[in-house]
Amino acid sequence: MKLHTLTLTSTLALTLLAGAANAAECGKVTFSDVGWTDITTTTAATKQVLQALGYDVDVKVLSVPVTFASLESDDVDIFLGNWMPAQSGAIGPYLESGEIEKVATNLTGTNYTLAVPEYTYDKGLTDYSKIADFRDSLDGKIYGIEPGNEGNGYLIKLTEEDTFGLKGFKVVESSEQGMLAQVARLVKDNKDVVFLGWAPHPMNAAFPLKYLPGGEDFFGGEGVVDTVTRKGYVAECPNVGKLLENLKFSLPMENEIMGKILNDGEEADAATMTWMKANPDAVMGWVDGVTTLDGGDGAAAVKTAFGM
């Protein structure tokens, strides 16, 4: 009986020690933010929820290719910005090898492809196949986003292979903010421009724009955004995994917060916190079944931290 009791006690002690070690290992959470305002928005919101739960959160700003490589090497735990199907080619090998794991879809109804101002569309630039007809008025340029982006790579390939007669066009690569600033200048002067556009994003309200059909073989039609992690992360850190499974965002939510960041100059943390305080039911849905790092009431901790 004494031996049996000792064995049970030892087993319990080892279980508690293992749980404490696991909590310690999971106590720091590392995200990648690729610098797109929508991903900055969702990452900022999730970061603040995790901090309220007692976690230490590190956000690294990385390109999409570096993000996937960093997930593979375990330097990053979570990425909330896997736009599909546009990133299928980039992430596919990692998913197939199991080095990156999909946890959930956090947003539906997205759009991501070339766009033009409505006045350019009305002139007849209504499809990828029509871009070459406007070579002179477009100054032979297609505006993309950051270097290394998979979407840019597809557009560059179109120009190299003379698809749609695009040989000689230059794909101008820059940051999201730089690209949109250039588009805004051209739109202000009522000049023709073709650029990578997407929804959700305040650009859809700032510019009267039209998305072009013709790039479905790469960009697809209506898309989704997935939450992905490094291999084994959810199994190792199930409490954070539960939060990730619960995370569901919406186009109105992201458009509203992104507008505050891009148009009003608010910091991402402040803009997301304002939205979360105004939408407590959404936040409580995220933390349903989620505890604090030390096993406490997660919902109560978030309410207290956010002043709900």
Side-chain angles (χ1 to χ4, degrees), residues 42 46 49-50 53 78 80 102-107 225-229 234 237-250 253 275 280-291 298-299 302:
T42 56
T46 307
V49 170
L50 282 167
L53 295 171
I78 303 164
L80 300 178
K102 174 187 171 181
V103 177
T105 294
N106 64 58
L107 181 68
V225 181
D226 289 338
T227 298
V228 296
T229 68
V234 170
C237 304
N239 191 53
V240 179
K242 178 62 176 174
L243 172 65
L244 297 180
E245 291 169 358
N246 289 347
L247 286 177
K248 294 292 182 286
F249 308 117
S250 70
M253 168 204 168
W275 188 91
D281 289 346
V283 179
M284 289 301 100
W286 298 346
V287 296
D288 183 28
V290 178
T291 70
V302 171

Side-chain angles (χ1 to χ4, degrees), residues 99-122:
E99 291 300 327
I100 294 178
E101 298 175 347
K102 174 187 171 181
V103 177
T105 294
N106 64 58
L107 181 68
T108 60
T110 63
N111 206 340
Y112 177 47
T113 190
L114 287 178
V116 297
E118 196 170 79
Y119 57 79
T120 299
Y121 188 91
D122 291 342

Side-chain angles (χ1 to χ4, degrees), residues 31-184:
F31 286 83
S32 172
D33 173 4
V34 292
W36 306 340
T37 311
D38 61 308
I39 308 308
T40 297
T41 292
T42 56
T43 302
T46 307
K47 176 189 73 173
Q48 291 181 99
V49 170
L50 282 167
Q51 288 174 332
L53 295 171
Y55 290 86
D56 178 20
V57 181
D58 180 29
V59 178
K60 300 180 183 294
V61 179
L62 307 169
S63 69
V64 172
V66 174
T67 293
F68 294 149
S70 297
L71 287 165
E72 180 187 36
S73 63
D74 295 345
D75 292 323
V76 166
D77 299 315
I78 303 164
F79 179 45
L80 300 178
N82 176 210
W83 277 65
M84 296 294 280
Q87 293 174 2
S88 297
I91 198 173
Y94 297 103
L95 293 173
E96 290 170 10
S97 69
E99 291 300 327
I100 294 178
E101 298 175 347
K102 174 187 171 181
V103 177
T105 294
N106 64 58
L107 181 68
T108 60
T110 63
N111 206 340
Y112 177 47
T113 190
L114 287 178
V116 297
E118 196 170 79
Y119 57 79
T120 299
Y121 188 91
D122 291 342
K123 292 178 185 177
L125 206 174
T126 57
D127 189 275
Y128 275 56
S129 64
K130 303 292 186 181
I131 295 173
D133 296 341
F134 288 75
R135 183 184 299 269
D136 291 341
S137 64
L138 294 171
D139 195 25
K141 295 177 182 177
I142 297 171
Y143 289 90
I145 45 180
E146 76 279 351
N149 179 271
E150 185 84 354
N152 287 357
Y154 170 71
L155 298 174
I156 291 170
K157 184 179 179 182
L158 294 183
T159 66
E160 291 175 344
E161 297 182 354
D162 199 23
T163 309
F164 302 120
L166 293 177
K167 188 174 182 64
F169 270 80
K170 178 182 180 181
V171 177
V172 180
E173 299 182 293
S174 69
S175 66
E176 170 195 331
Q177 292 81 4
M179 181 271 285
L180 290 173
Q182 178 62 20
V183 171

Side-chain angles (χ1 to χ4, degrees), residues 239-308:
N239 191 53
V240 179
K242 178 62 176 174
L243 172 65
L244 297 180
E245 291 169 358
N246 289 347
L247 286 177
K248 294 292 182 286
F249 308 117
S250 70
L251 296 177
M253 168 204 168
E254 295 194 26
N255 281 331
E256 179 180 338
I257 297 172
M258 292 162 71
K260 291 181 180 296
I261 295 170
L262 293 171
N263 301 331
D264 302 336
E266 291 190 21
E267 293 295 325
D269 283 355
T272 52
M273 181 59 74
T274 297
W275 188 91
M276 289 190 291
K277 286 183 176 180
N279 295 271
D281 289 346
V283 179
M284 289 301 100
W286 298 346
V287 296
D288 183 28
V290 178
T291 70
T292 60
L293 177 61
D294 59 8
D297 187 328
V302 171
K303 286 180 179 178
T304 298
F306 289 6
M308 290 177 173

